[in-house]
Amino acid sequence: VGIGSVLLLITDTTGEQYSFQVVVKQAPTKLVVKCKKVIRKGNNSTLKVSFKNNAYSNQLKYTSSNKKVLTVSKKGVIRAMHFQLDKQQAKLVRCVSGHVYDVIVDLRPNSPTYGKSKGFHLTGDNMEMLYVPKYFGHGYLVIEDSVVSYKCGEVFYPEGDSGIMYNDPDLNIDWPFELIGGKDNVIISDKDLNLMSFKDYSNLSLD
């Protein structure tokens, strides 16, 4: 692999193909790419990619860690307000292609904005990035078929993986369902249909 851009194509077991670019700033002697994990939930897909050799971590856009994640989602997919109860993750999120309406909610009990949310339109064209602090819930509605990139400050911790329903009445998030042709077109995973309420979260004791 020389200096420049490398287009990677990965096909999962269902035959669906994902592509993304890796930028090599300095030529390594060898570059080995492996797919660490592909998770499919209904029409949602999460793709985690790593590079085997840590020596090139400062030369590559996506490097050897499960702290870097790409998700590929179809129009209408909604991801509820996800967070980790343990090993809180700060995240830097951007839409590589397509269009998502990205929402964060303050889950810090002692914060003056506790339970308040804010939405942002992230697109492949505007190239804006969103920083999601620790102790914030994060979710999005896919307005167009999209690829979303995450860079996380902590590894994924399955034991602490949790979230709050996207339509929780206390959070009262104003999702722009009209941009996908109405709420009836929402696609949601079984996992996100069975998340806790904001009231349940408020009764938890978090470290």
Side-chain angles (χ1 to χ4, degrees):
V1 179
I3 299 173
S5 294
V6 180
L7 181 65
L8 300 179
L9 298 175
I10 294 179
T11 303
D12 69 14
T13 55
T14 69
E16 192 139 4
Q17 191 174 72
Y18 311 100
S19 66
F20 59 96
Q21 268 191 333
V22 176
V23 177
V24 181
K25 298 179 180 178
Q26 180 178 339
T29 56
K30 186 177 182 181
L31 180 65
V32 179
V33 179
K34 62 179 180 178
C35 181
K36 294 186 76 171
K37 197 174 193 180
V38 176
I39 306 170
R40 298 187 61 86
K41 298 172 183 174
N43 289 311
N44 301 337
S45 296
T46 299
L47 178 65
K48 295 187 178 182
V49 177
S50 73
F51 291 94
K52 193 172 182 180
N53 196 329
N54 283 335
Y56 307 120
S57 61
N58 62 343
Q59 303 170 21
L60 303 169
K61 189 179 292 184
Y62 294 100
T63 58
S64 171
S65 170
N66 68 348
K67 297 181 184 179
K68 287 86 176 177
V69 181
L70 288 176
T71 68
V72 182
S73 300
K74 295 181 180 180
K75 178 180 178 178
V77 167
I78 194 164
R79 297 183 184 272
M81 308 314 297
H82 291 181
F83 52 86
Q84 292 188 172
L85 293 171
D86 300 303
K87 299 187 178 181
Q88 293 285 329
Q89 285 181 315
K91 304 182 186 79
L92 189 63
V93 182
R94 74 183 179 98
C95 184
V96 179
S97 65
H99 179 185
V100 300
Y101 183 71
D102 204 298
V103 175
I104 59 174
V105 59
D106 188 351
L107 297 177
R108 301 169 297 175
N110 296 323
S111 170
T113 55
Y114 180 56
K116 302 297 183 183
S117 63
K118 179 75 174 177
F120 305 86
H121 287 277
L122 304 182
T123 73
D125 292 330
N126 68 27
M127 296 185 291
E128 294 181 352
M129 290 189 288
L130 175 64
Y131 177 70
V132 184
K134 292 181 179 181
Y135 296 99
F136 273 67
H138 170 252
Y140 56 81
L141 175 66
V142 181
I143 309 301
E144 301 171 2
D145 291 0
S146 297
V147 178
V148 176
S149 168
Y150 295 78
K151 185 170 183 179
C152 302
E154 180 56 80
V155 297
F156 177 63
Y157 187 60
E159 294 85 349
D161 186 32
S162 192
I164 296 173
M165 289 287 295
Y166 78 93
N167 58 353
D168 182 89
D170 293 307
L171 293 182
N172 194 28
I173 297 170
D174 186 17
W175 298 99
F177 293 122
E178 68 278 4
L179 297 181
I180 62 167
K183 191 174 180 179
D184 290 343
N185 293 321
V186 165
I187 303 168
I188 187 167
S189 68
D190 290 339
K191 172 188 172 182
D192 280 13
L193 281 172
N194 294 283
L195 296 174
M196 73 175 80
S197 68
F198 182 62
K199 286 182 179 176
D200 290 337
Y201 174 85
S202 297
N203 290 329
L204 295 175
S205 176
L206 300 182
D207 295 328

